[in-house]
Amino acid sequence: MQITMLGPGEYLLRQAERVEQLTATVSHNRVGNAKLAWLGREIVAAVRYQVPPIVKDWALLSDEGGDLAAVELEVNLVSGGPAEAEIWLHPDADPALVLPFVLEICRDFAREYRRNNVILWYLHADVSEQLTSPTGIGSIGRDVVADLLVSAGAQLAHVYRISEIDPWSAGEPEPPADGYRLAHWFGPTPARWRAQVGTMHEITMADAPIGETGYIAEKFSADRVAADEASAVEAGRLLVTVLALAPDGAIAGLTQIAVQDGTTVAYQWDTSVASGHRGHGLGRSLKTLATALVRERYGNVRRIITHNAADNVHMLRINTELGWRPLAHKGLWSLPVG
Ligand SMILES: CC(C)(COP(=O)(O)OP(=O)(O)OC[C@H]1O[C@@H](n2cnc3c(N)ncnc32)[C@H](O)[C@@H]1OP(=O)(O)O)[C@@H](O)C(=O)NCCC(=O)NCCS
């Protein structure tokens, strides 16, 4: 088994393209097309423009027959939460042979940053036997990888639902009620709004369900917002942001969509409403305006993709009512690191 850690050297672009090909093959296998794949361009940007306090690494596992697996590794150097890894196994690879190498890479990464466990994300096959999330809401297919993860000592900690919408089949913007108003912009957040956008990211992390992952809410300073968005721009992402403002001018809500330049795909990032402002329908107003802005400005986008905790009943109810369709489920597994 050959293990290559991606670094900012001269081979990065070629290696990132191999990860793109591999993740596209997995995505085809699971959902019939490549829309869930990582793009080479975003991997290159993530490796070259690391945004403190997050460290990201990529590993590619191959043998003489070709690439067998890719792993994205991530850790926050400041918060004491678990390390994270997203695992992609080629459909032709034998999971029983390849997964042990992948798990060792994940454990080594977690040990390097002195974490006791690592959360593994995996896009499971759509098989009839299901494993239910420990939250009791949401399930994944009990495929061979699920059984191998259990044998390796991992526990299912949470389930995420991936959904999509075609902006051209979405409804018209729904203006906010009760004296709230919306502001929006294209591209990176202007300096005067960065601190507020950071606060809304913190609310998303603090208030979205986390199951048994042990995630710890992170801090988002204005500088981190600027650096995150600059890295996203480097990766070819065209940002669309909508803010909700209360009658007194206080920030009440946020949603962001990142259009992937040169493709027909966009990604729904955070949506959040601050606790004192929930129950006014702001989630719907924010999302319907953002989707309409994508449709107007980036008319070639045919799908927006979002990931939500399967037990995020408030967000999923809004998404379902607005026409988002479930596409697949990812398991989040907690693997202890000895
Ligand atoms: C998802 C979210 C944006 C929806 O907010 P919203 O647009 O105000 O929701 P609604 O107006 O549809 O509220 C419907 C009801 O649910 C309640 N509600 C909404 N979100 C709630 C939450 N997270 N916890 C408790 N109650 C909530 C509202 O108070 C309201 O109650 P009411 O009918 O008694 O007035 C908001 O719940 C939120 O910010 N959650 C935390 C962040 C998150 O999970 N984001 C999604 C992950 S990307």
Side-chain angles (χ1 to χ4, degrees):
M1 183 76 59
Q2 193 187 332
I3 297 174
T4 309
M5 299 305 292
L6 274 57
E10 58 177 315
Y11 300 111
L12 177 58
L13 182 57
R14 176 72 198 108
Q15 291 164 345
E17 282 169 355
R18 283 165 58 192
V19 176
E20 175 174 330
Q21 272 168 23
L22 188 138
T23 57
T25 304
V26 175
S27 177
H28 262 285
N29 181 269
R30 293 289 189 270
V31 298
N33 56 47
K35 59 191 156 194
L36 301 183
W38 280 88
L39 300 180
R41 185 171 178 187
E42 42 183 339
I43 297 163
V44 168
V47 172
R48 286 223 176 107
Y49 305 96
Q50 302 272 341
V51 182
I54 305 295
V55 172
K56 286 190 185 187
D57 267 348
W58 283 88
L60 195 53
L61 291 83
S62 41
D63 66 9
E64 58 286 350
D67 294 327
L68 301 172
V71 192
E72 187 224 4
L73 300 146
E74 189 172 322
V75 70
N76 182 319
L77 296 180
V78 175
S79 91
E84 283 190 86
E86 173 143 32
I87 298 172
W88 300 81
L89 294 184
H90 193 286
D92 296 340
D94 177 354
L97 288 178
V98 180
L99 197 63
F101 289 96
V102 170
L103 297 186
E104 213 32 51
I105 292 169
C106 297
R107 288 193 194 96
D108 283 348
F109 180 79
R111 281 188 204 108
E112 184 181 345
Y113 294 100
R114 293 188 294 284
R115 304 303 154 112
N116 297 326
N117 66 331
V118 48
I119 299 297
L120 309 172
W121 290 66
Y122 189 76
L123 179 60
H124 289 275
D126 187 16
V127 294
S128 57
E129 193 178 352
Q130 296 282 303
L131 287 176
T132 303
S133 168
T135 63
I137 307 179
S139 62
I140 49 152
R142 182 183 165 187
D143 55 10
V144 60
V145 170
D147 283 344
L148 288 166
L149 286 169
V150 171
S151 313
Q155 285 189 331
L156 186 60
H158 212 185
V159 169
Y160 260 62
R161 181 197 285 187
I162 309 172
S163 318
E164 66 171 351
I165 196 168
D166 177 350
W168 288 96
S169 65
E172 292 305 313
E174 297 178 14
D178 305 328
Y180 287 89
R181 62 193 172 89
L182 301 181
H184 72 265
W185 59 83
F186 297 98
T189 297
R192 72 185 177 107
W193 290 118
R194 278 184 205 139
Q196 289 91 333
V197 167
T199 302
M200 295 311 303
H201 287 325
E202 289 176 0
I203 289 172
T204 308
M205 284 202 96
D207 290 0
I210 60 166
E212 296 184 358
T213 57
Y215 283 148
I216 293 177
E218 298 178 7
K219 293 277 170 226
F220 280 86
S221 64
D223 286 349
R224 182 170 172 193
V225 170
D228 272 346
E229 292 184 352
S231 163
V233 168
E234 209 48 60
R237 287 175 170 180
L238 310 164
L239 303 179
V240 178
T241 302
V242 183
L243 272 189
L245 300 165
D248 65 359
I251 181 142
L254 167 83
T255 196
Q256 282 189 306
I257 296 178
V259 172
Q260 186 62 46
D261 196 11
T263 76
T264 57
V265 177
Y267 306 98
Q268 170 74 65
W269 285 0
D270 293 17
T271 300
S272 55
V273 171
S275 58
H277 301 282
R278 290 179 190 151
H280 297 273
L282 287 177
R284 286 182 69 105
S285 294
L286 287 161
K287 290 197 75 154
T288 52
L289 178 58
T291 308
L293 291 169
V294 168
R295 191 167 58 217
E296 269 170 33
R297 179 120 171 181
Y298 304 110
N300 57 327
V301 170
R302 294 317 303 253
R303 44 180 71 100
I304 308 176
I305 292 177
T306 189
H307 285 60
N308 300 105
D311 56 336
N312 197 336
V313 289
H314 298 290
M315 191 74 264
L316 288 176
R317 184 179 46 73
I318 293 170
N319 286 356
T320 305
E321 286 172 5
L322 294 180
W324 293 73
R325 290 179 309 274
L327 192 59
H329 288 86
K330 285 185 180 174
L332 281 68
W333 296 82
S334 180
L335 179 74
V337 176

